Amino acid sequence: MTTTRRGLLAGSAAVVVGAALDAPAAQAHTGSGSGQKPTVVLVHGAFADASGWNGVASRLIRDGYPVIAPPNPLRGVASDSAYLAGILATLSGPLVLVAHSYGGIVVTNAATGNANVKALVYVAAFVPDQGETLLGLQTKYPGSRLSEEALDFRPYGEGLVDGYIKKELFHDVFAGDLPKATTELMWAGQRPADVRTLGEPSGAPAWKTVPSWYLVGRDDQVLPPAAQRFMARRAGAHTFEADTSHVAMIARPAATAALIKRATR
């Protein structure tokens, strides 16, 4: 299916997430036709780990979906994508890949050429075209508060540096709609990203041949909503929006799970 045709099918206007995801499932679906529920692969981004998907995963598992939430190494675009591609190669049957934030770059690359991947779901995530970088997409539109000044840098190894969100900014920048007690724990356990990921170009994108869905966080302080809408529109994604921070899957787990189930049908 061409990008143009997918764009026409998806529609250019985003809809409000609550009402749209409660609508009958027949309105939008992509499936294998075998009746087999696909395995849902949940991929976290930077400054996070797989536990951020717990609220979503518990809902999917309860509804009978096979779920795996593998670790994202956060060492570099090519290496992280290769790592995930290796995991995907061990899974049989249809797959739906779900990504948050930087995880979107990883699934965009890891899914390329894998015929088992039936859908891509992006949750406030990066959706790069070939040659684009995380930093380029994050700064394409104004509004991101995740600047260099918001990060602590810690060296590891010879000439290698990790970035962490500063404690005093973590709540407001990363997860402003969560309780501060929750974000204090998230900050303490955050997994850093190698700063090289910021400028490493992405490869051939899977979204050019795989149907996609997108959940835009209207209150996102990390990846500007305008950038999210631009990437979703370009990918021809079925696009929904919610009044939520960057961590939509934690703040709105029911809506996120509903969108994923929509993409699995």
Side-chain angles (χ1 to χ4, degrees):
M1 184 181 296
T2 65
T3 301
T4 301
R5 186 181 173 195
R6 284 188 290 107
L8 291 172
L9 289 174
S12 59
V15 295
V16 178
V17 69
L21 296 182
D22 287 337
Q27 289 183 11
H29 63 84
T30 180
S32 64
S34 66
Q36 175 187 0
K37 278 188 167 66
T39 297
V40 178
V41 183
L42 304 170
V43 181
H44 68 82
F47 318 115
D49 61 24
S51 67
W53 290 111
N54 284 354
V56 172
S58 63
R59 287 168 169 79
L60 295 174
I61 292 169
R62 182 184 62 205
D63 290 340
Y65 288 89
V67 174
I68 179 174
N72 184 352
L74 307 178
R75 300 296 86 191
V77 173
S79 62
D80 294 343
S81 301
Y83 181 86
L84 179 59
I87 292 175
L88 300 180
T90 70
L91 304 175
S92 60
L95 305 173
V96 171
L97 308 190
V98 186
H100 173 242
S101 194
Y102 165 70
I105 296 180
V106 177
V107 302
T108 293
N109 287 271
T112 300
N114 188 328
N116 285 340
V117 177
K118 304 303 180 184
L120 301 168
V121 181
Y122 295 95
V123 180
F126 291 87
V127 188
D129 203 346
Q130 187 161 6
E132 291 182 332
T133 66
L134 183 152
L135 185 60
L137 290 169
Q138 185 182 356
T139 58
K140 184 177 179 67
Y141 295 89
S144 177
R145 295 175 62 192
L146 190 63
S147 62
E148 183 176 339
E149 291 71 27
L151 298 176
D152 285 325
F153 297 100
R154 297 171 184 163
Y156 74 97
E158 185 67 30
L160 303 175
V161 179
D162 272 338
Y164 299 75
I165 300 179
K166 292 180 177 178
K167 185 175 184 178
E168 64 270 22
L169 296 175
F170 191 94
H171 174 267
D172 292 348
V173 171
F174 197 65
D177 49 357
L178 299 184
K180 286 192 174 181
T182 298
T183 58
E184 285 175 356
L185 290 175
M186 291 170 63
W187 172 84
Q190 69 176 298
R191 292 190 54 208
D194 187 309
V195 297
R196 293 174 299 176
T197 61
L198 294 172
E200 186 176 351
S202 188
W207 53 259
K208 289 196 173 180
T209 56
V210 179
S212 60
W213 277 253
Y214 200 107
L215 178 55
V216 174
R218 290 200 187 106
D219 301 322
D220 198 324
Q221 303 295 304
V222 174
L223 181 58
Q228 296 181 41
R229 295 181 185 115
F230 161 74
M231 292 184 288
R233 183 171 59 250
R234 180 176 64 179
H238 303 273
T239 303
F240 301 82
E241 299 197 359
D243 294 325
T244 181
S245 70
H246 188 56
V247 291
M249 72 287 190
I250 301 176
R252 300 288 296 274
T256 304
L259 178 60
I260 295 167
K261 286 188 284 186
R262 211 173 166 82
T264 67
R265 299 186 178 101

